[in-house]
Amino acid sequence: MIRALVVDDHTIFRSGLKRLLLDESDIRVTGEARCGSEALEALRLEPFDVVVLDINLEGRSGLDVLATIRREHPGAPVLMLSMYPEEQYALVAMRAGASGYVAKDAEPAELIAALRAVARGGTYLSMRIAPLIQDQLKGLDERPPHQRLSVREHQIMLMLLKGVPPADIGEEMMISTKTVSAHRTHILEKLGVSSTAELVLYAVRNGIIQ
């Protein structure tokens, strides 16, 4: 039996996934978490075969939670799930240590296949995105600027977009406020914007936030 921990801040989504998996004889949601702290506490208390982790969580982003999971539970398979298109975050998630990535609008059969593959120690990317990821890894990268940010820059960008102050970002990521400011400067330069307000406009135009 595959024991899944579902980490998503939407109760309706967690309930829907549980109902979906009731039809599968080999997968069960045995743990739920609304945020990163609840997910980490659950992982410390009981074993899971796969963690289904949303990128866009309240508070700490899923990428930040993934980094902590990798430190505390290096062997835990993590399937990243997001409303964002695969081409936007799949490579970032895989580089950060995810075992797979599935968009929330994927067909149920694809999500179930991804869960099984990741829980068994494999990796999962859809047939559509896998060739693009391989091209990106080879340096054939035609993605827009925000998709070329490093994992840490992505994490900080998401926090900035949520209005988290630099001091709080530094505390959350265990880096100095000065380092956060340096990352912010690099992010703005890479995206061709000059302020956080322009960053928000960029994010809206590119579907990073709604």
Side-chain angles (χ1 to χ4, degrees), residues 160-161 163 184 188 191-205 209:
L160 289 171
L161 291 172
R184 176 184 176 276
L188 298 182
L191 301 189
V193 299
S194 59
S195 66
T196 301
E198 289 187 14
L199 174 63
V200 172
L201 288 174
Y202 178 98
V204 172
R205 289 171 184 151
I209 59 175

Side-chain angles (χ1 to χ4, degrees), residues 2-6 14 17-18 21 27-32:
I2 296 172
R3 300 160 296 179
L5 170 63
V6 178
R14 299 195 309 270
L17 184 55
K18 286 176 67 176
L21 295 177
I27 312 174
R28 286 293 178 270
V29 174
T30 57
E32 297 181 52

Side-chain angles (χ1 to χ4, degrees), residues 15-156:
S15 299
L17 184 55
K18 286 176 67 176
R19 287 196 298 271
L20 173 66
L21 295 177
L22 286 176
D23 293 332
E24 307 303 318
S25 61
D26 60 333
I27 312 174
R28 286 293 178 270
V29 174
T30 57
E32 297 181 52
R34 297 171 297 174
C35 60
S37 59
E38 289 186 3
L40 295 170
E41 181 64 21
L43 283 166
R44 294 176 188 125
L45 292 176
E46 60 181 297
F48 295 95
D49 300 302
V50 61
V51 180
V52 182
L53 177 61
D54 189 12
I55 282 183
N56 193 33
L57 296 173
E58 288 293 330
R60 298 177 67 184
S61 76
L63 290 172
D64 189 28
V65 176
L66 174 61
T68 303
I69 291 175
R70 280 289 151 263
R71 288 196 303 270
E72 296 186 4
H73 310 276
V78 179
L79 176 65
M80 298 300 290
L81 198 64
S82 177
M83 65 181 190
Y84 301 125
E86 292 170 292
E87 56 267 23
Q88 187 158 313
Y89 279 112
L91 180 60
V92 174
M94 299 299 277
R95 282 178 169 168
S99 304
Y101 186 101
V102 175
K104 278 188 172 180
D105 61 357
E107 293 296 324
E110 181 180 354
L111 174 57
I112 292 168
L115 273 167
R116 290 190 176 116
V118 169
R120 291 166 182 163
T123 58
Y124 185 86
L125 288 169
S126 72
M127 293 180 65
R128 183 184 69 83
I129 200 66
L132 296 178
I133 296 297
Q134 292 300 320
D135 286 345
Q136 291 165 14
L137 291 173
K138 293 175 183 175
L140 305 175
D141 197 342
E142 298 180 353
R143 295 173 300 163
H146 64 278
Q147 294 180 19
R148 302 185 192 185
L149 297 175
S150 70
V151 172
R152 174 150 285 187
E153 287 169 343
H154 262 285
Q155 293 172 314
I156 292 174

